[in-house]
Amino acid sequence: MAATLANVHILPDFDGGWFVCRAGRTLTHHKTQADAMQAGRRIARRHRVELVTWGIDGRIRSKDSYGNEGPARDTEH
């Protein structure tokens, strides 16, 4: 049975800071978005999933895949 892939999400904490979450669980909390993205990137690479970064407006700012990609390369990063 294949394991369920749960992407890593970088979400704003409206009281300040940024969360790194996966599968509905908060993994870490950081003061800056850059620190959260660095931590999230490590987790996404380890689990070979997407890193999804959300903005404070509730919209997705970026997606970066560290999983099984097809022949088309990620053009965002």
Side-chain angles (χ1 to χ4, degrees):
M1 176 175 223
T4 302
L5 297 179
N7 294 329
V8 176
H9 295 264
I10 309 298
L11 300 163
D13 176 2
F14 293 103
D15 290 332
W18 294 83
F19 292 113
V20 177
C21 301
R22 184 167 188 235
R25 294 182 45 214
T26 299
L27 303 176
T28 59
H29 185 268
H30 302 270
K31 288 184 179 183
T32 67
Q33 186 181 33
D35 289 344
M37 288 180 70
Q38 184 177 14
R41 195 173 294 116
R42 282 193 305 268
I43 296 166
R45 282 183 179 145
R46 185 176 336 130
H47 295 283
R48 302 183 72 188
V49 296
E50 281 193 358
L51 176 65
V52 182
T53 305
W54 296 80
I56 58 173
D57 60 359
R59 300 171 107 182
I60 294 176
R61 290 185 51 199
S62 70
K63 285 185 174 183
D64 200 14
S65 180
Y66 295 100
N68 297 324
E69 294 180 337
R73 298 212 28 136
D74 182 3
T75 58
E76 186 176 339
H77 295 100

